[in-house]
């Protein structure tokens, strides 16, 4: 259908003023007097709405007046400037065609609804300002990430979702099976007979694409993943979902410093892209969701991120142990309260914490010369805490194998991973960015359930 | 690390000729005489290789000579033109630093390996020409799809992977569970007690994001998905994988014609983007994988796709029933042999077949006025057959409900979907593009196992 979008009208208004236009969209509000009426139209392509004036000359005037919020209409008319009004222009309708009515029990009325209520109607909530803004920013941020990496000739690699291995033992996993759960086949020694399952073995949903991505980095040098990952953790918090999207770049001929430079450039690129391409949405978040948002993001874009070692960070935090629920000491993992203190109170900007004790980090991280810490980095940002976690990878075959043995890992499960250290090993590094956390950071949205279209959490898998 | 990529050298050669450069990469081949040697370097950023000459002035000359294929090196030297040679230039090395050796049992030697063998080493196969080319094209094609939709202001929506519903009954599904399979909890009446499962109900891996995407199209007007989908079908063919990626645009205020215009533009855009951005890879496919590839793709880009109704197509095919294993008649589903005959023999270009019998299409497709056919379209392309399947959706509440009842579907499972027809329903349409089929089409690669980094098929879930 040959319709002009509201986005096009706002962005190139000069071209359309005093011209006839045809737009299609949904009624946000409607009121009428005896001889004319106003309806506010939203067409989904732009955050702002378009006012339509319709008069009783229209033969279906009575039908239009009866329309409810949510109805779909196609409006033809002249776009005229309205210098006295709040909105810059309006359409004086020569026809209003009803595309689809909206039943009287339409749950979204003009008043503001709570996010908790809106979560119960995830098929309708994208029609509200709040979720229009969030999901457009989400889409733009996803594209910005692709654009950033593709402009730098990174290869996008689709790592598998169904996996036979448990990458880093990173939390509980979902099992994937085609076995009949009412009648699970068992072997003679009382184990589940996975030879009868679809893949002939036990399989799970991935928790990370990193190990697979490493195989590609040793072929293409610079690669990234962007796909769903899963955690079957029984945690009901505002920051955890069972299904979420993750970005995992992996770079060869690179060390931890290169990794941090990449992470910093990527974050700044995404922030800039979203602020430039969704100014109306960002203004909305700044006004209604998180007052300091735009200032904070501007300051991130223009500042050099801080750097501090874990050991230094602990010294700083120990002096302030009185302020924390969890007291810190060398060797402990940092909690969100510590992370936020560092980035918000001490550095007042994003900061990389590096060189963590090996005990609290994954087996594949490169051992530092001190034998106690590994070449890991977490990027902490104000308002959130950790947003990125990465490391240089252990590229030495013997050291990696020794660490795996120390942790009781089975060598045969990681043969492919050890092979990478056997055939042309290179210094390499990478990181993971949880995409929903990134969206929360960009928008100020406080609950992960509102940053993903159809959230999956314990006990919740609607639609 | 401050390395220049081989891509950069090839693309901006004038800038680097007779200059000192430092590159890092992997040895593709190596040979030496007593006083000097040649190694061919591939750095993963570019399809072509770079020759390096090293002489016995280098103090580690003997070590370099001992290097095996696959070793990683960092080479410093002068890039000099070689007008007499096959390659345009080479590096005369002033140093060759060994980053990582390659063990003598490295499975990839200079000879050509079979794709069957390479599938057994999916962590190493991206280092071969064949898979370098395939996975770079895959990455570029993925980006081209995002770019196409984002330039048109479509919203990218992440539809869920874990789902409580079976979208269209489209084939077998994988179950997702955290229940202990050795000891599945049962209810008193002998059913699996899913209230004890992670989500409190039975869940599966999605077969399509379409129904979810429709909810977003009724809010944002134009949206698309690009994510993994799953089929637990026990079919061991060259065209089926259990895990694959799919693109599903959905457009509101649009009919089947708009849908076909969108599909045709998208395909042409992706082909053009890949041919422009991977000329070396495409030349390789054309020379070694599929002789007519580039001609075929060029002709697709420059031709208007054909259009034929299912009924007309059947008339054409019936005349040629002698040529087919499966004879056609009105009402039957088209097999690949019929599809290829239509697009290759009759139309000699891509063709849309429209208006299929309702019985062989999904419940949500819009009924045509004849009451027998639905507003569906399949796009058939030479060499493959069906690459895209789409339809206008039934937007009338009563007709949709009647069709669901006819098919014995449960109304309560689709309440959200019916709601879309109750609150501001619009004409809308969409289609699905299987991404691996698209990659196969772009490259001539004949087996889906070679078009996806880590294929999952019956009995196969490596890495």
């Amino acid at each position: 259908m040959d319709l002009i979008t509201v986005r096009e009208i706002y962005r190139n208004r000069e071209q359309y003023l005093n011209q006839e236009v045809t737009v299609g969209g949904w009624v946000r509000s409607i009121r009428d007097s005896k001889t004319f009426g106003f309806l506010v139209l939203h067409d989904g392509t732009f955050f702002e709405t378009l006012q339509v004036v319709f008069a009783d000359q229209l033969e279906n005037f009575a039908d239009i007046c009866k329309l409810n919020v949510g109805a779909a209409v196609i409006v033809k008319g002249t776009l005229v400037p309205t210098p006295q009004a709040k909105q810059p222009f309006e359409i004086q309708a020569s026809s209003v065609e009803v595309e689809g009515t909206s039943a009287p029990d339409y749950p979204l009325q003009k008043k503001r609804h709570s996010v908790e209520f809106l979560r119960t109607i995830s098929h309708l909530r994208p029609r509200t300002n709040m979720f229009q803004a969030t999901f457009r920013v989400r889409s733009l941020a996803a594209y910005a990430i692709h654009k950033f990496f593709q402009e730098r000739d990174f290869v996008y690699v689709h790592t598998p979702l169904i996996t036979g291995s448990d990458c880093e033992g990173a939390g509980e996993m979902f099992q994937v099976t085609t076995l009949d759960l009412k009648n699970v086949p068992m072997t003679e020694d009382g184990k589940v007979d996975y030879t009868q399952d679809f893949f002939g073995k036990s399989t799970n949903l991935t928790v990370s694409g990193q190990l697979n991505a490493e195989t590609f980095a040793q072929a293409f040098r610079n690669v990234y993943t962007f796909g769903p990952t899963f955690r079957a953790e029984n945690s009901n918090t505002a920051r955890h979902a069972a299904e979420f999207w993750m970005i995992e770049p992996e770079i060869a001929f690179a060390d931890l410093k290169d990794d941090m430079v990449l992470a910093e450039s990527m974050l700044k690129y995404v922030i800039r892209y979203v602020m430039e391409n969704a100014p109306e949405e960002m203004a909305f978040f700044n006004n209604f969701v998180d007052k300091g948002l735009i200032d904070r993001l501007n300051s991130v874009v223009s500042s050099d991120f801080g750097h501090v070692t874990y050991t230094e960070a602990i010294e700083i935090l120990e002096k302030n142990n009185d302020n924390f629920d969890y007291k810190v000491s060398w060797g402990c993992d940092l909690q969100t309260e510590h992370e936020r203190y560092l980035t918000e109170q001490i550095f007042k900007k994003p900061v990389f914490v590096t060189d963590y004790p090996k005990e609290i980090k994954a087996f594949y991280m490169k051992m530092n010369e001190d034998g106690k810490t590994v070449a890991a980095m977490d990027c902490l940002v104000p308002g959130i805490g950790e947003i990125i976690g990465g490391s240089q990878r252990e590229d030495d075959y013997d050291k990696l194998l020794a660490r795996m043995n120390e942790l009781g890992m089975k060598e045969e499960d990681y043969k492919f991973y050890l092979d990478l250290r056997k055939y042309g090993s290179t210094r390499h590094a990478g990181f993971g960015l949880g995409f929903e956390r990134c969206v929360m950071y960009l928008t100020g949205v406080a609950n992960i359930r509102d940053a993903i279209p159809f959230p999956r959490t314990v006990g919740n898998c609607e639609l």
Side-chain angles (χ1 to χ4, degrees), chain A residues 19-23 75-79 90-95:
Chain A
Q19 304 292 316
E20 179 168 271
V21 295
T22 309
V23 296
V75 175
K76 190 184 277 188
T78 308
L79 187 76
E90 65 185 18
I91 292 184
Q92 290 175 351
S94 58
S95 86

Side-chain angles (χ1 to χ4, degrees), chain A residues 154-221:
Chain A
F154 279 56
V155 169
Y156 177 32
V157 47
H158 287 136
T159 51
L161 283 284
I162 301 176
T163 168
S165 72
D166 169 359
C167 163
E168 32 172 323
E172 295 292 311
M173 299 176 88
F174 289 102
Q175 304 166 80
V176 175
T177 181
T178 54
L179 294 176
D180 178 2
L181 297 196
K182 267 192 296 207
N183 192 10
V184 176
M186 306 294 279
T187 60
E188 284 182 6
D189 53 345
K191 290 181 179 152
V192 175
D193 183 5
Y194 285 111
T195 63
Q196 298 188 42
D197 208 344
F198 189 87
F199 295 108
K201 62 178 184 183
S202 160
T203 53
N204 299 299
L205 288 177
T206 189
V207 295
S208 162
Q210 180 200 317
L211 303 197
N212 296 79
E214 280 187 57
T215 73
F216 268 62
Q218 297 304 316
F220 286 102
R221 190 159 151 187

Side-chain angles (χ1 to χ4, degrees), chain A residues 36-93:
Chain A
F36 63 94
F38 296 96
L39 67 82
V40 173
L41 190 82
H42 190 271
D43 84 340
T45 68
F46 196 60
F47 191 72
E48 305 293 340
T49 53
L50 193 55
Q51 177 160 282
V52 176
V53 191
F54 57 97
D56 60 359
Q57 282 93 331
L58 301 183
E59 61 177 35
N60 62 342
F61 180 74
D63 290 338
I64 305 168
C65 293
K66 272 184 269 172
L67 287 177
N68 190 11
V69 174
V73 292
I74 295 171
V75 175
K76 190 184 277 188
T78 308
L79 187 76
V80 296
T82 49
Q84 315 295 331
K86 213 175 60 178
Q87 72 277 7
F89 35 63
E90 65 185 18
I91 292 184
Q92 290 175 351

Side-chain angles (χ1 to χ4, degrees), chain A residues 65-365:
Chain A
C65 293
K66 272 184 269 172
L67 287 177
N68 190 11
V69 174
V73 292
I74 295 171
V75 175
K76 190 184 277 188
T78 308
L79 187 76
V80 296
T82 49
Q84 315 295 331
K86 213 175 60 178
Q87 72 277 7
F89 35 63
E90 65 185 18
I91 292 184
Q92 290 175 351
S94 58
S95 86
V96 176
E97 205 183 297
V98 180
E99 175 77 2
T101 57
S102 177
D105 61 347
Y106 188 54
L108 298 173
Q109 294 303 324
K110 222 200 150 185
K111 66 169 188 140
R112 199 163 167 176
H113 300 282
S114 74
V115 288
E116 290 78 13
F117 167 70
L118 292 172
R119 277 178 215 145
T120 67
I121 46 171
S122 57
H123 61 306
L124 299 176
R125 68 176 183 170
R127 304 179 182 196
T128 63
N129 274 338
M130 168 75 185
F131 290 96
Q132 279 278 318
T134 305
F135 294 133
R136 186 175 300 279
V137 164
R138 185 179 168 107
S139 170
L140 292 170
Y143 184 56
I145 287 165
H146 281 296
K147 203 162 168 350
F148 173 83
F149 286 116
Q150 296 272 343
E151 284 172 358
R152 285 153 187 78
D153 291 317
F154 279 56
V155 169
Y156 177 32
V157 47
H158 287 136
T159 51
L161 283 284
I162 301 176
T163 168
S165 72
D166 169 359
C167 163
E168 32 172 323
E172 295 292 311
M173 299 176 88
F174 289 102
Q175 304 166 80
V176 175
T177 181
T178 54
L179 294 176
D180 178 2
L181 297 196
K182 267 192 296 207
N183 192 10
V184 176
M186 306 294 279
T187 60
E188 284 182 6
D189 53 345
K191 290 181 179 152
V192 175
D193 183 5
Y194 285 111
T195 63
Q196 298 188 42
D197 208 344
F198 189 87
F199 295 108
K201 62 178 184 183
S202 160
T203 53
N204 299 299
L205 288 177
T206 189
V207 295
S208 162
Q210 180 200 317
L211 303 197
N212 296 79
E214 280 187 57
T215 73
F216 268 62
Q218 297 304 316
F220 286 102
R221 190 159 151 187
N222 292 332
V223 304
Y224 71 106
T225 72
F226 191 163
T229 45
F230 305 86
R231 300 279 156 89
E233 271 167 43
N234 199 335
S235 56
N236 224 325
T237 81
R239 289 159 48 95
H240 292 90
E243 175 180 318
F244 56 99
W245 286 64
M246 193 133 83
I247 295 99
E248 297 182 284
E250 193 71 32
I251 48 178
F253 293 102
D255 59 19
L256 193 66
K257 267 197 193 127
D258 298 310
D259 205 30
M260 290 189 283
V261 168
L262 183 70
E264 182 170 338
S265 324
M266 183 197 69
L267 275 184
K268 287 177 173 174
Y269 186 98
V270 174
I271 293 170
R272 257 190 230 109
Y273 187 86
V274 167
M275 297 218 291
E276 275 167 24
N277 287 278
E280 292 80 9
E281 284 82 353
M282 295 308 286
F284 168 82
F285 289 121
N286 197 57
N287 290 333
F288 297 105
V289 177
D290 181 352
K291 292 284 176 201
L293 181 70
I294 288 182
D295 280 350
R296 194 164 68 236
L297 293 177
N298 274 327
S299 110
V300 168
V301 166
S302 59
S303 66
D304 290 328
F305 289 15
H307 290 265
V308 65
T309 67
Y310 170 88
T311 303
E312 291 161 355
I314 292 292
E315 280 168 21
I316 293 166
L317 292 168
E318 273 181 328
K319 289 184 196 142
N320 297 281
N321 255 338
D322 291 350
N323 300 318
F324 302 133
D325 291 337
Y326 292 88
K327 312 300 170 194
V328 300
S329 60
W330 201 95
C332 77
D333 216 347
L334 298 185
Q335 305 294 322
T336 303
E337 57 174 336
H338 310 132
E339 293 172 346
R340 292 189 58 171
Y341 188 86
L342 282 171
T343 178
E344 291 167 16
Q345 305 299 323
I346 305 294
F347 285 87
K348 300 183 199 303
K349 62 181 181 180
V351 57
F352 288 104
V353 181
T354 61
D355 304 297
Y356 285 77
K358 66 176 179 181
E359 287 78 11
I360 58 173
K361 288 290 179 183
F363 77 96
Y364 50 69
M365 297 190 179

Side-chain angles (χ1 to χ4, degrees), chain A residues 4-21:
Chain A
I4 291 165
T5 64
V6 174
R7 172 174 295 270
E8 172 66 10
I9 288 174
Y10 269 86
R11 288 282 186 258
N12 298 303
R13 56 186 72 183
E14 296 309 324
Q15 201 178 321
Y16 297 102
L17 276 178
N18 302 309
Q19 304 292 316
E20 179 168 271
V21 295

